[in-house]
């Protein structure tokens, strides 16, 4: 008797079909990041040792990510408006980002900014002693006091990197932009998104990614994705290839910790009663390019299922120190970590 396949089964036979884009989850993107920040802050991620001094900052960024998720959950159509499908179609026709980070922004991002900064300031002051203004509250109030035109100029500065931002306030400003862009991106369909000329830039907003992750599970098994620092979209790029200059000649990998973890562990449910062991030493690496002398970090989900690229990148500053000492330049920064003299 001839067997008839269902449509889904036919698609599953096509192993050349790689999910090229993983759009952000509206009701989970920042919540997952917040949880990961707290675990990293507590030095509970074996592949990324965290010093107490950095732990305090990661906890603050965890509270920021919680506030981002709270604001995102509450956004309605009347707050931010529908997607502009005509503009999306035009952008797609020209292989341009459909929600470009450059150029004019919709005024609705100010709604996101006001809610996020309002929530953070209230929480910071509530945590202060005897009702006194907290240092963080004071920093955030200075940001809130900017006029709409000044906010837009500050947003241009952090998005383009052309002007040196104020390092203390830049993460909070960028966080509001992340919420706005992630909300927009979460409403897209993968079919809305064009193929871009430069595979190392986000096809949704055109921004630089923060880090790579090699995913496991389902159709994305063993594929490498780059996570956008602005709209949180993950987009596919083949492995063992420079995400800056696309060279494949002299790519190498440098780790952050050394452990003697076993290669396999007992698992009664696995074929043969064993399965590969998650090895913290193999989780976080810097992918370096001998041609352009740049690096970007890469995280392997098979060695830590809960990886969140932006949080893991922020927490692994010690790997940045190692790579800088070795003479490699970081391709792009982490949007939640700025230095006063940073211009990119
Ligand atoms: Zn993006
Ligand atoms: Zn390169």
């Amino acid at each position: 008797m001839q067997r008839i396949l269902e449509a889904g089964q036919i698609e599953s036979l096509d192993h050349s079909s790689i999910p090229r884009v993983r759009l952000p989850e509206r009701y989970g993107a920042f919540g997952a990041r917040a949880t990961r920040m707290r675990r990293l802050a507590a030095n509970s991620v074996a592949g990324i040792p965290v010093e107490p001094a950095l732990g305090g900052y990661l906890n603050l960024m965890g509270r920021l990510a919680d506030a981002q998720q709270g604001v995102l959950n509450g956004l309605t159509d009347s707050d931010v408006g529908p997607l502009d499908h005509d503009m999306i179609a035009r952008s797609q026709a020209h292989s341009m980002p459909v929600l470009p980070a450059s150029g004019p922004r919709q005024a609705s991002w100010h709604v996101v900014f006001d809610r996020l900064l309002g929530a953070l300031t209230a929480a910071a002051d509530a945590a202060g002693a005897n009702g006194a203004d907290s240092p963080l509250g004071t920093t955030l109030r200075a940001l809130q006091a900017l006029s709409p035109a000044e906010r837009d100029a500050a947003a241009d500065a952090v998005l383009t990197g052309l002007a040196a931002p104020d390092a203390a306030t830049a993460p909070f400003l960028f966080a509001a932009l992340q919420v706005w862009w992630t909300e927009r991106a979460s409403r897209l369909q993968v079919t809305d998104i064009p193929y871009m000329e430069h595979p190392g830039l986000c096809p949704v907003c055109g921004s630089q990614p923060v880090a790579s992750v090699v995913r496991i599970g389902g159709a994305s098994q063993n594929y490498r994705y780059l996570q956008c620092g602005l709209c949180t979209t993950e987009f596919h790029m083949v492995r063992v290839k420079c995400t800056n200059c696309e060279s494949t000649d002299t790519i190498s990998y440098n780790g952050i910790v050394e452990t003697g973890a076993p290669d396999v562990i007992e698992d009664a449910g696995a074929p043969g009663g064993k399965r590969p062991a998650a090895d913290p030493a193999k989780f976080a690496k810097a992918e370096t390019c001998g041609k352009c002398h740049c690096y970007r970090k890469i995280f392997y989900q098979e060695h830590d299922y809960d990886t969140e690229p932006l949080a893991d990148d922020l927490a692994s500053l010690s790997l940045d120190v190692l790579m800088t000492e070795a003479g490699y330049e970081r391709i792009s920064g982490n949007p939640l970590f700025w230095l006063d003299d940073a211009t990119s």
Side-chain angles (χ1 to χ4, degrees):
M1 192 172 88
Q2 191 176 12
R3 290 180 62 212
I4 306 297
L5 294 171
E6 304 282 335
Q9 291 175 295
I10 294 168
E11 282 165 19
S12 72
L13 295 175
D14 178 10
H15 295 296
S16 66
S17 151
I18 301 169
R20 66 187 178 96
V21 174
R22 296 163 54 94
L23 289 165
E25 295 279 347
R26 179 188 176 99
Y27 293 104
F30 296 108
R33 182 171 294 166
T35 302
R36 185 67 170 180
M37 290 280 191
R38 280 190 283 274
R39 285 195 55 213
L40 288 158
N43 198 20
S44 300
V45 173
I48 302 180
V50 170
E51 299 287 328
L54 180 58
Y57 189 71
L58 294 172
N59 270 324
L60 173 60
M61 292 299 106
R63 294 198 293 277
L64 171 60
D66 271 333
Q68 286 178 292
Q69 189 66 61
V71 171
L72 179 50
N73 290 351
L75 286 176
T76 64
D77 268 5
S78 61
D79 294 325
V80 290
L83 288 177
D84 182 346
H85 288 286
D86 288 342
M87 198 195 82
I88 289 171
R90 281 197 304 278
S91 303
Q92 194 183 30
H94 295 94
S95 296
M96 302 288 284
V98 290
L99 301 170
S102 58
R105 277 176 300 281
Q106 287 179 30
S108 59
W109 87 272
H110 290 279
V111 173
V112 176
F113 178 96
D114 285 330
R115 289 187 191 174
L116 182 65
L117 271 290
L120 288 167
T121 308
D125 286 348
N130 304 320
D133 289 351
S134 62
L136 176 61
T138 303
T139 299
L140 296 174
R141 264 186 293 277
L143 192 54
Q144 282 175 290
L146 298 177
S147 70
E150 288 170 329
R151 289 178 192 179
D152 270 315
D156 287 341
V158 293
L159 286 172
T160 62
L162 294 177
D166 170 29
T169 57
F172 302 98
L173 177 64
F174 203 96
L177 297 164
Q178 283 179 325
V179 172
W180 192 87
W181 255 278
T182 301
E183 195 278 341
R184 305 276 84 182
S186 73
R187 293 183 181 221
L188 292 170
Q189 308 290 321
V190 171
T191 49
D192 292 331
I193 300 165
Y195 286 87
M196 299 272 286
E197 192 178 329
H198 191 319
L201 294 179
C202 175
V204 170
C205 73
S207 298
Q208 289 275 2
V210 176
S212 287
V213 54
V214 176
R215 291 285 179 201
I216 57 170
S220 295
Q221 175 74 26
N222 267 333
Y223 291 123
R224 180 256 286 275
Y225 291 85
L226 289 155
Q227 189 193 55
C228 176
L230 181 62
C231 75
T232 328
T233 296
E234 291 184 8
F235 49 101
H236 174 252
M237 187 171 181
V238 296
R239 291 170 65 170
V240 200
K241 181 172 191 164
C242 176
T243 57
N244 185 46
C245 75
E246 299 177 44
S247 169
T248 54
D249 293 341
T250 47
I251 306 299
S252 57
Y253 296 88
N254 297 266
I256 188 172
V257 293
E258 299 297 333
T259 69
D263 290 338
V264 292
I265 56 172
E266 307 288 332
D267 182 349
K274 292 181 189 299
R275 63 177 168 83
D279 183 349
K282 296 176 181 167
F283 167 59
K285 303 267 183 180
E287 185 179 60
T288 62
C289 172
K291 186 176 174 196
C292 69
H293 301 285
C294 285
Y295 75 95
R296 183 170 264 144
K297 290 180 205 159
I298 182 164
F299 303 101
Y300 295 83
Q301 194 176 20
E302 69 175 307
H303 295 298
D304 190 328
Y305 188 80
D306 299 320
T307 179
E308 202 292 317
L310 187 146
D312 290 340
D313 178 79
L314 182 61
S316 53
L317 277 175
S318 56
L319 187 52
D320 292 290
V321 173
L322 286 174
M323 300 320 299
T324 303
E325 286 174 358
Y328 290 97
E329 189 175 341
R330 204 181 141 107
I331 299 170
S332 57
N334 187 303
L336 299 186
F337 182 76
W338 298 76
L339 299 170
D340 271 324
D341 60 352
T343 53
S344 63

